[in-house]
Amino acid sequence: MKILFPLLVVIILVGLVFMGVQEANLHLLFGIIIPYVSVTIFILGVIARVVNWSRSPVPFRIPTTCGQQKSLSWIKRDCLENPSNAVGVIGRMALEILTFRSLFRNTQTELKQGPYLVYHEEKLLWLAALAFHWSFLIVVIRHFRLFIEPIPGCLSLLCSLDGFMEIGSPVVFLSGVALLGAVSFLLLRRILSPKISYISLTADYFPLFLIIAIAASGILMRYFVKVDVIDIKAYTLGLLSLHPVIPADVSVIFYIHLFLVCVLLVYIPFSKLMHLGGIFLSPTRNMANNNRLKRHINPWNYPVKVHTYEEYEEHFREKMKQVGIPVEKE
Amino acid sequence: MYDKNKIIPGLIIFVGIVAFPFFYNLVTADYKPEPSLDTPVINKMSKKQCVRPKDFMKTEHMKVLHEWRDSVVRYGEREYGVIDGVKYEKSLQKTCMQCHSNKKDFCDRCHTYVDVKPYCWNCHIAPEGKEE
């Protein structure tokens, strides 16, 4: 059920745009209104989520035990895993965001015959996640060749590198193949491993199916069900320069691809895909471990009304004198 | 809001990246390239036609050329067929470029537009341009 429902939703979404464009001729809706609306929801949604997060106070630093913290001068410290200053934090964040450092530490618990409970390193998930995220990033950047004109040299270089194997015509982009391969692995992992399948929810399967559908429709469009890319670039440039024009007769597969991307954009701010922004706000990663080096004041401390001894004595001096309690000031 | 000095620049960078194509298109003019058919051979043709219909060629020409290359180089099959009494050979230089002798105004216009760099010209000699 948890897997069938999201699969069904993606199939219905594809069917929806197929019927809408092919049968009902809703080109204006799927080609112009939905892209604009979804980009707006995406930007505003992400801002709202991040602003909402930023309302939570972070009262103290969370030291993690990944490395020796700064201590006495003769104790070797780990600048990157347990930084005490901003430079170290930037290094740790860069490792986390660019290479998924904490996922690299991933361990797996398994019950072997015997019975033995075995803990072992599980690098395959890290590798697949790295392949998936990096190829997705390259695919997104590569799409900018259809968004901007003239195309800058660095973008052109990226496209050449991506297709440097020169397989077929049009050349196969390696990132597209890597993306579909990695996302399929991440899906199969959830399906085939009973333990992971047990904890997988609709919110895990839906983005996977959606991204598989996006990648598959993109690959279909590039290599198999060909579309006129010149028309499409003219259309995207029109959208982006705010003079939208519906492309003359572009195959329905393009609308399916576009609509699924719009669904993904709208889905991001309301789902776990917000880890896109959330990773930058990981409290155990983005704060220097300087708990004892600097004074950290709890942000929700309110001014406490204090009654000092001087004030106390001032108040009760006469009574204290009467019963013979020594006072500091006569 | 806590950590304003980090959250706000971060959000500005995010919006900047997402809105980058919009800003880029504000300063550049959007246009659609039109490949030119103005060559001496095409101008002389009474019925302007390619080996396949225009719409097919628009999206499939790279596949056609790829198949031609494979069948010529690997199997030595050079004949494409007869269309309206004209025999066509599977050849980029002898067939395609015979009519479309204006590589700059025909091939390159669209290829540059969508950043396609076909490796035809690694082996073939590109025509110099329009013959006067």
Side-chain angles (χ1 to χ4, degrees):
Chain A
M1 186 58 214
K2 278 168 189 162
I3 183 164
L4 283 182
F5 177 67
L7 181 63
L8 206 66
V9 169
V10 172
I11 292 172
I12 288 173
L13 288 175
V14 173
L16 202 70
V17 53
F18 191 82
M19 296 301 284
V21 171
Q22 201 86 319
E23 306 296 326
N25 260 319
L26 298 169
H27 291 82
L28 179 72
L29 178 69
F30 285 102
I32 294 173
I33 298 171
I34 288 179
Y36 277 138
V37 170
S38 62
V39 169
T40 314
I41 293 177
F42 172 65
I43 294 177
L44 296 181
V46 168
I47 291 176
R49 268 313 269 281
V50 172
V51 168
N52 188 28
W53 285 334
S54 77
R55 290 216 180 97
S56 309
V58 187
F60 55 86
R61 307 307 171 98
I62 308 167
T64 47
T65 53
C66 300
Q68 172 63 47
Q69 82 172 79
K70 193 180 180 191
S71 180
L72 299 167
S73 60
W74 45 270
I75 295 177
K76 197 180 172 213
R77 58 177 299 221
D78 197 332
C79 300
L80 220 49
E81 301 289 6
N82 206 335
S84 65
N85 55 15
V87 177
V89 167
I90 291 169
R92 178 163 74 176
M93 286 302 285
L95 267 184
E96 182 62 34
I97 292 164
L98 302 177
T99 69
F100 308 165
R101 179 76 182 92
S102 57
L103 191 57
F104 192 70
R105 277 190 257 270
N106 180 34
T107 54
Q108 201 178 2
T109 317
E110 235 175 328
L111 197 60
K112 294 256 166 153
Q113 292 271 312
Y116 298 112
L117 192 62
V118 185
Y119 298 88
H120 59 89
E121 291 189 337
E122 170 56 26
K123 300 286 188 237
L124 206 54
L125 175 62
W126 169 78
L127 199 67
L130 207 62
F132 168 71
H133 285 88
W134 274 104
S135 52
F136 204 155
L137 178 69
I138 293 170
V139 167
V140 169
I141 295 175
R142 212 181 57 203
H143 272 74
F144 275 65
R145 80 188 168 101
L146 304 175
F147 300 163
I148 56 182
E149 174 65 35
I151 297 163
C154 50
L155 185 57
S156 187
L157 181 70
L158 180 79
C159 294
S160 308
L161 283 177
D162 204 358
F164 90 114
M165 298 286 269
E166 293 187 345
I167 302 167
S169 176
V171 289
V172 171
F173 280 142
L174 301 176
S175 59
V177 180
L179 173 64
L180 196 59
V183 73
S184 305
F185 171 83
L186 294 175
L187 176 68
L188 284 178
R189 172 181 157 270
R190 287 197 181 276
I191 295 172
L192 297 180
S193 163
K195 280 175 290 176
I196 302 168
S197 148
Y198 181 70
I199 57 166
S200 296
L201 303 171
T202 306
D204 297 311
Y205 288 118
F206 179 67
L208 286 174
F209 284 129
L210 193 60
I211 290 167
I212 287 175
I214 290 171
S217 59
I219 286 173
L220 268 179
M221 191 158 46
R222 179 171 169 84
Y223 307 105
F224 304 103
V225 193
K226 314 282 290 188
V227 291
D228 188 351
V229 75
I230 305 295
D231 273 353
I232 288 174
K233 181 159 182 177
Y235 155 75
T236 51
L237 289 186
L239 269 189
L240 291 165
S241 57
L242 308 179
H243 305 294
V245 188
I246 297 169
D249 47 359
V250 169
S251 152
V252 69
I253 182 110
F254 170 72
Y255 285 97
I256 292 174
H257 187 69
L258 178 71
F259 181 64
L260 292 178
V261 171
C262 291
V263 171
L264 184 68
L265 283 180
V266 171
Y267 183 70
I268 285 173
F270 306 100
S271 65
K272 64 197 309 190
L273 299 189
M274 254 319 279
H275 69 268
L276 165 73
I279 185 126
F280 292 94
L281 305 182
S282 330
T284 62
R285 306 281 96 199
N286 68 4
M287 288 190 292
N289 181 10
N290 53 7
N291 269 324
R292 288 182 267 186
L293 220 57
K294 278 186 189 159
R295 186 171 182 220
H296 298 278
I297 296 163
N298 192 339
W300 67 75
N301 278 356
Y302 49 87
V304 179
K305 197 168 180 299
V306 287
H307 196 207
T308 62
Y309 182 72
E310 283 79 16
E311 287 164 354
Y312 174 87
E313 202 183 89
E314 205 65 43
H315 199 192
F316 296 107
R317 185 167 290 121
E318 291 313 308
K319 282 175 180 159
M320 288 166 82
K321 277 183 184 166
Q322 276 171 16
V323 293
I325 296 174
V327 287
E328 286 184 349
K329 228 160 60 181
E330 283 304 324
Chain B
M1 192 200 259
Y2 297 93
D3 285 318
K4 262 187 203 156
N5 57 341
K6 292 180 193 113
I7 297 278
I8 291 171
L11 285 176
I12 290 172
I13 291 170
F14 162 73
V15 173
I17 291 172
V18 177
F20 164 72
F22 289 94
F23 293 132
Y24 199 98
N25 277 287
L26 280 185
V27 291
T28 55
D30 56 322
Y31 77 101
K32 192 179 163 186
E34 287 297 333
S36 160
L37 295 177
D38 181 26
T39 65
V41 180
I42 295 177
N43 285 339
K44 266 180 231 155
M45 288 169 92
S46 53
K47 191 179 160 215
K48 291 186 174 45
Q49 63 160 16
C50 197
V51 291
R52 297 289 289 269
K54 183 184 166 192
D55 283 336
F56 178 88
M57 288 311 281
K58 251 162 100 178
T59 56
E60 302 276 354
H61 65 273
M62 67 297 272
K63 276 192 169 176
V64 170
L65 287 171
H66 202 249
E67 280 160 20
W68 281 14
R69 184 200 71 179
D70 285 354
S71 72
V72 169
V73 175
R74 293 181 192 167
Y75 310 108
E77 291 160 6
R78 287 182 179 277
E79 272 175 34
Y80 182 65
V82 183
I83 300 162
D84 287 347
V86 187
K87 221 165 117 186
Y88 287 102
E89 195 181 337
K90 288 178 182 171
S91 168
L92 178 68
Q93 272 168 275
K94 289 187 205 156
T95 306
C96 306
M97 305 312 286
Q98 203 58 45
C99 296
H100 302 291
S101 52
N102 50 346
K103 173 175 175 285
K104 272 195 182 63
D105 294 331
F106 186 74
C107 307
D108 292 350
R109 272 192 188 170
C110 292
H111 287 166
T112 321
Y113 187 62
V114 290
D115 190 50
V116 174
K117 282 158 281 186
Y119 49 92
C120 311
W121 315 108
N122 289 6
C123 305
H124 290 279
I125 299 162
E128 298 278 308
K130 221 181 288 178
E131 286 164 41
E132 292 301 322

